[in-house]
Amino acid sequence: MEIAFFNGKFLPKNEIRISPDDRGFLFADGIYEVVKWYGGSFFDMEAHVTRLKRSLREIRLQWLENETFPDIAVELVRQNGLYEKHAMVYIQVTRGAAPRTHHFPDYPLPPTVYAFVKELPDTGKIMPDAINVLLKEDIRWSRCDIKSVSLLPNVIGNQEARENGCMECIFARNGEITEASHSNVFFVINGVLRTHPESNYILSGITRKNVIRIATESGIMVEEEALHESELENITEAFVTNTTGEVTPIKTINGKTAGDGLPGRITILLREKFLSEIPTNRR
Ligand code: PMP
């Protein structure tokens, strides 16, 4: 039986009921966070808690117990028998249930807090297959830095990617590549690692931040500067990063081979070094 967390309690998931007046349901008035469990520890939980707090602050949503997220996450892993496994924990906080008005309710409302855990395969240090990606116009709002549950453009972009034999959709705003539907994107051009700078147009990915640190520590030059679509023909490597997939190489972009289509030297090095920082992978 799957156990999830709902408003302070650990319950069988199929017993959880959320009000139709929940502002998460009516307005996507909420935020979320995702963290990965590696058979004994979370990777960079501190950064995830910091980002969760920032998302809450940016949408002026109070969840007083936000510091309990790490405890909730471990308890979910334990109660679902996943301690020795790999898994992701998802948490969502919405502004709660109240009669529908655009403005916040006039009286204090308890937020709705929901979290679940999902087992992930332990792929060890194996390099995942390089993926095809679709390049699309970035039609999202201009606060992509908030981890909001309002993800319709990401959902549509990812669906179109799937319909075109691709695993991910990367976005370009005025020709400049921002990020992907659920990952950040990196390129190697002239031996330099390039990615969009932190701004309101991308989510500040925790994997992104760690990959940039590892690259710098490894003597790889990093430029946080958007890549223009017209520069794609000169790239020698490309990869996406996110919490669950870490570093995943890109094979093609809109059908055109990225570099030679194989995981490149820098991509391999960054993935290996990233995984070597996870305690359980040192076994
Ligand atoms: N950008 C977007 C739009 C995302 O949804 C995600 C995944 N949460 C990321 C980037 C990568 O962030 P992280 O490395 O923290 O998972």
Side-chain angles (χ1 to χ4, degrees), residues 61-77:
L61 171 53
Q62 270 206 348
W63 175 38
L64 296 173
E65 293 86 39
N66 61 54
E67 297 273 357
T68 61
F69 174 47
D71 297 336
I72 293 169
V74 178
E75 195 54 27
L76 278 175
V77 165

Side-chain angles (χ1 to χ4, degrees), residues 32-34 48 51 140 144 147 151 154 179-184 202-208 241-244:
Y32 74 108
E33 191 53 54
V34 174
H48 287 277
R51 188 171 66 184
R140 299 173 305 156
C144 301
K147 208 162 163 58
L151 290 170
N154 309 54
E179 59 176 340
S181 76
H182 63 298
S183 28
N184 292 110
I202 67 159
L203 183 79
S204 181
I206 288 161
T207 323
R208 173 189 179 281
T241 62
N242 66 23
T243 294
T244 51

Side-chain angles (χ1 to χ4, degrees), residues 78-149:
R78 279 214 183 88
Q79 292 206 19
N80 286 280
L82 297 173
Y83 199 90
E84 307 287 330
K85 305 284 176 90
H86 283 201
M88 63 93 106
V89 175
Y90 173 99
I91 187 163
Q92 172 167 338
V93 187
T94 79
R95 209 176 305 278
R100 185 180 184 278
T101 59
H102 278 68
H103 60 82
F104 301 169
D106 296 328
Y107 45 91
L109 202 63
T112 303
V113 184
Y114 168 58
F116 66 84
V117 62
K118 187 176 126 197
E119 185 174 352
L120 296 174
D122 176 0
T123 46
K125 291 201 169 167
I126 299 167
M127 176 60 89
D129 290 341
I131 59 168
N132 300 319
V133 304
L134 189 71
L135 176 63
K136 273 193 51 128
E137 180 67 23
D138 196 341
I139 58 164
R140 299 173 305 156
W141 71 331
S142 48
R143 287 307 306 275
C144 301
D145 56 309
I146 301 173
K147 208 162 163 58
S148 152
V149 293

Side-chain angles (χ1 to χ4, degrees), residues 47 52 81 118-119 158 171 178 200-201 227 236 260 283:
L52 174 69
K118 187 176 126 197
E119 185 174 352
N158 197 274
F171 296 126
T178 50
N200 52 315
Y201 291 130
L227 191 94
T236 53
D260 61 9
R283 278 189 302 217

Side-chain angles (χ1 to χ4, degrees), residues 8-267:
K9 297 195 181 89
F10 293 90
L11 300 168
K13 194 169 175 180
N14 59 12
E15 286 179 16
I16 294 174
R17 300 283 178 273
I18 297 179
S19 164
D21 283 337
D22 194 280
R23 294 180 61 93
F25 178 57
L26 294 176
F27 293 111
D29 187 355
I31 55 90
Y32 74 108
E33 191 53 54
V34 174
V35 63
K36 185 163 177 183
W37 176 259
Y38 290 90
S41 60
F42 287 106
F43 184 74
D44 211 350
M45 174 56 103
E46 207 185 321
H48 287 277
V49 173
T50 302
R51 188 171 66 184
L52 174 69
K53 289 185 189 168
R54 178 181 187 276
S55 300
L56 290 165
R57 210 169 44 240
E58 290 297 321
I59 71 159
R60 295 161 58 193
L61 171 53
Q62 270 206 348
W63 175 38
L64 296 173
E65 293 86 39
N66 61 54
E67 297 273 357
T68 61
F69 174 47
D71 297 336
I72 293 169
V74 178
E75 195 54 27
L76 278 175
V77 165
R78 279 214 183 88
Q79 292 206 19
N80 286 280
L82 297 173
Y83 199 90
E84 307 287 330
K85 305 284 176 90
H86 283 201
M88 63 93 106
V89 175
Y90 173 99
I91 187 163
Q92 172 167 338
V93 187
T94 79
R95 209 176 305 278
R100 185 180 184 278
T101 59
H102 278 68
H103 60 82
F104 301 169
D106 296 328
Y107 45 91
L109 202 63
T112 303
V113 184
Y114 168 58
F116 66 84
V117 62
K118 187 176 126 197
E119 185 174 352
L120 296 174
D122 176 0
T123 46
K125 291 201 169 167
I126 299 167
M127 176 60 89
D129 290 341
I131 59 168
N132 300 319
V133 304
L134 189 71
L135 176 63
K136 273 193 51 128
E137 180 67 23
D138 196 341
I139 58 164
R140 299 173 305 156
W141 71 331
S142 48
R143 287 307 306 275
C144 301
D145 56 309
I146 301 173
K147 208 162 163 58
S148 152
V149 293
S150 173
L151 290 170
L152 194 51
N154 309 54
V155 166
I156 289 171
N158 197 274
Q159 177 60 23
E160 283 187 24
R162 295 292 169 128
E163 287 165 2
N164 286 280
C166 296
M167 290 298 283
E168 190 39 309
C169 171
I170 59 174
F171 296 126
R173 201 180 280 264
N174 301 322
E176 293 193 334
I177 296 171
T178 50
E179 59 176 340
S181 76
H182 63 298
S183 28
N184 292 110
V185 62
F186 288 76
F187 303 94
V188 178
I189 184 162
N190 299 326
V192 176
L193 190 61
R194 279 272 291 280
T195 195
H196 195 285
E198 276 193 311
S199 82
N200 52 315
Y201 291 130
I202 67 159
L203 183 79
S204 181
I206 288 161
T207 323
R208 173 189 179 281
K209 177 196 68 163
N210 282 302
V211 161
I212 290 173
R213 173 183 55 76
I214 292 167
T216 308
E217 287 167 5
S218 310
I220 296 164
M221 206 185 347
V222 183
E223 270 178 13
E224 293 183 57
E225 196 188 314
L227 191 94
H228 194 271
E229 282 172 1
S230 59
E231 293 178 276
L232 279 174
E233 58 192 66
N234 299 323
I235 62 167
T236 53
E237 299 181 35
F239 60 87
V240 290
T241 62
N242 66 23
T243 294
T244 51
E246 298 99 7
V247 174
T248 305
I250 293 175
K251 183 160 66 181
T252 66
I253 302 172
N254 279 2
K256 280 196 69 182
T257 309
D260 61 9
L262 296 170
R265 184 183 66 81
I266 292 179
T267 310

